[in-house]
Amino acid sequence: MNFKMRTCGMSLIKYILFGFNIIFAISGLGILIAGAVVLADVNQFSHFIEGRVTAPPIVLIITGLVIFLIASLGCFGAIKESPTLLLTYAVLLAIIFIVELAVGIAAAVFKSDLEMMIKNSLQESIKRSNHEDMMAWDNVQRKLMCCGVDTPADWRELSANKTLPPSCCREKYIDEAVGHCTESLALGVDKYFQDGCVGKLRERIDKNAVILIGVGIGIAFIQILGIILACYLASTIRHERMK
């Protein structure tokens, strides 16, 4: 009777682990997709952003792929009732968890310097104002509806040509014939985006960070559960085989 109960219990855990890994594999694909979406969004403004900002979504993409492969190993180990495969699976999950934790801590430390890094990059670019810089500025100002580093006045104070680019104008006020905003700031405040791009870029990056953190926390709980189930099943199988 006890033997049947133990066997039934082990089979139940095995199929729970198998089902868990199916969900885990799907979540791995979800993480990969989330990382790719965030990376694509951040890369729109890569001219002003250091590589450290794009590192977390890249890590998330790689993690999603690895999780998908590890989940396959977990399914195989559960079906074969192999303690070695199950323990290998648990160790790999633990390693991934540690890597995610390290990336999270590094991102939290880096976050305190993020706004200053963006501001310095924007200021250097607005001072140069070459063709590549102006293309990047037009892109960020139109997409984020901002103008200058902190205010539109930065174009008059910092740029070489002292002129606001057309991308600072609200769409309905752009004069295609003139090609740029010629009105003074004092007379046409409503015609220009008034928010600086440093704040808008910071908000955009913070929004993406929330997505990454939410996904990371969710998958961390799944990983811990997977480690517990795998270790318990491996221990149960070894115990039964020793009898």
Side-chain angles (χ1 to χ4, degrees):
M1 182 69 176
N2 290 334
F3 175 76
K4 287 183 178 180
M5 289 180 65
R6 287 196 300 268
T7 303
C8 181
M10 190 170 69
S11 297
L12 179 62
I13 295 170
K14 179 176 73 173
Y15 288 113
I16 288 174
L17 183 60
F18 180 81
F20 164 83
N21 278 291
I22 296 296
I23 297 172
F24 196 40
I26 295 171
S27 70
L29 291 177
I31 290 172
L32 192 154
I33 293 169
V37 169
V38 170
L39 182 62
D41 186 64
V42 171
N43 273 341
Q44 295 180 82
F45 315 110
S46 59
H47 186 81
F48 305 111
I49 296 173
E50 291 184 5
R52 286 180 292 175
V53 177
T54 60
I58 291 173
V59 170
L60 206 65
I61 291 170
I62 295 171
T63 300
L65 180 60
V66 172
I67 283 174
F68 182 78
L69 296 175
I70 291 175
S72 301
L73 176 64
C75 287
F76 187 72
I79 291 172
K80 293 294 185 180
E81 297 185 3
S82 169
T84 302
L85 287 177
L86 289 170
L87 289 175
T88 301
Y89 165 78
V91 169
L92 290 174
L93 279 185
I95 292 172
I96 292 295
F97 179 80
I98 292 170
V99 170
E100 289 172 343
L101 185 63
V103 171
I105 292 171
V109 172
F110 172 64
K111 188 178 179 181
S112 61
D113 301 324
L114 178 61
E115 188 163 347
M116 185 57 66
M117 180 273 292
I118 295 173
K119 188 168 186 174
N120 290 338
S121 178
L122 290 170
Q123 286 176 337
E124 291 173 8
S125 178
I126 204 172
K127 288 175 183 177
R128 291 192 304 265
S129 296
N130 57 35
H131 178 68
E132 184 180 353
D133 288 305
M134 291 309 301
M135 287 182 64
W137 271 105
D138 287 342
N139 175 60
V140 71
Q141 289 180 155
R142 288 195 179 105
K143 288 182 176 177
L144 301 184
M145 293 185 288
C146 58
C147 184
V149 181
D150 294 302
T151 68
D154 292 327
W155 284 105
R156 303 286 176 87
E157 297 170 1
L158 300 175
S159 69
N161 55 27
K162 308 297 181 183
T163 304
L164 274 76
S167 55
C168 271
C169 296
R170 300 183 192 278
E171 189 173 356
K172 62 181 179 179
Y173 292 118
I174 293 177
D175 188 343
E176 298 293 345
V178 176
H180 57 78
C181 300
T182 56
E183 296 84 2
S184 68
L185 291 174
L187 297 176
V189 170
D190 64 320
K191 297 181 180 180
Y192 308 97
F193 299 124
Q194 295 301 303
D195 295 323
C197 292
V198 62
K200 290 283 190 173
L201 266 175
R202 173 63 187 263
E203 288 175 8
R204 190 69 167 255
I205 293 171
D206 283 347
K207 181 181 177 181
N208 285 325
V210 169
I211 295 173
L212 295 180
I213 291 169
V215 171
I217 291 174
I219 199 62
F221 279 112
I222 295 175
Q223 285 173 299
I224 292 170
L225 180 59
I227 291 169
I228 294 171
L229 285 174
C231 289
Y232 182 77
L233 182 57
S235 175
T236 302
I237 292 171
R238 280 188 172 175
H239 181 72
E240 290 297 326
R241 287 181 179 176
M242 289 174 64
K243 288 184 177 182

